[in-house]
Amino acid sequence: MKHRAQILAYSGTFIALIAAGSWISIPLPPVPLTLQTLFVLLAGVVMQRYAVIPVGLYVLLGAANLPVFHNGTAGLGVLLGPTGGFLLGFIPAALVAGLAYEHESPKIRVAGLIAATCTIYLFGVVWLAWSASISLLQAVLIGVAPFIIGDAVKAAAAFAIGKRVA
């Protein structure tokens, strides 16, 4: 029973953190730089495979018109817009990071954070290219290249925080 209560408490906390991270935003067209990905990765670090629960609920809440996406946006229109793939990619990314954190090896954990970030990129780039009718290369240049350094810092921060809390 304690395990369920812990999952519930962590889920509420990470939904709130991801939503708060969406407000910390640097507007870059068409995909803003936010702290959402830090908290998605951190959910995987702390909750392991159960991180899909808060991350999936976060996306569902946004789809249900609660203003939890970047800068208070919400609705299916956001998920169907150019940033939708990145948001949907949060769900499998949380699972990837979480499964990596079920291992004790720091190498596997780092690889998991990198793979989780790449999962977000994969979903985001494919959707961005399709929804904006641009090539995959253009989608990578717009939706990945400007964010690589920031996302590397966020992954390193998640790893460092994970050494303290996980």
Side-chain angles (χ1 to χ4, degrees), residues 28 39 93 114 116 142:
L28 299 173
F39 296 120
I114 293 168
I142 293 168

Side-chain angles (χ1 to χ4, degrees), residues 27-60:
L28 299 173
V31 183
L33 176 66
T34 69
L35 286 184
Q36 291 165 295
T37 52
L38 169 64
F39 296 120
V40 168
L41 296 176
L42 202 53
V45 167
V46 172
M47 296 183 68
Q48 298 175 346
R49 72 180 62 211
Y50 299 103
V52 298
I53 296 169
V55 176
L57 287 172
Y58 166 78
V59 173
L60 189 62

Side-chain angles (χ1 to χ4, degrees), residues 45-103:
V45 167
V46 172
M47 296 183 68
Q48 298 175 346
R49 72 180 62 211
Y50 299 103
V52 298
I53 296 169
V55 176
L57 287 172
Y58 166 78
V59 173
L60 189 62
L61 289 170
N65 272 343
L66 268 70
V68 295
F69 295 148
H70 51 88
N71 296 328
T73 58
L76 289 175
V78 176
L79 292 177
L80 296 174
T83 63
F86 294 96
L87 292 167
L88 290 172
F90 288 173
I91 300 168
L95 181 62
V96 169
L99 290 174
Y101 265 80
E102 291 183 2
H103 297 274

Side-chain angles (χ1 to χ4, degrees), residues 72-135:
T73 58
L76 289 175
V78 176
L79 292 177
L80 296 174
T83 63
F86 294 96
L87 292 167
L88 290 172
F90 288 173
I91 300 168
L95 181 62
V96 169
L99 290 174
Y101 265 80
E102 291 183 2
H103 297 274
E104 294 294 321
S105 168
K107 290 180 182 179
I108 292 175
R109 290 177 171 189
V110 168
L113 293 172
I114 293 168
T117 301
C118 290
T119 300
I120 295 169
Y121 287 156
L122 175 66
F123 276 70
V125 163
V126 169
W127 184 256
L128 177 59
W130 186 80
S131 68
S133 298
I134 59 175
S135 72

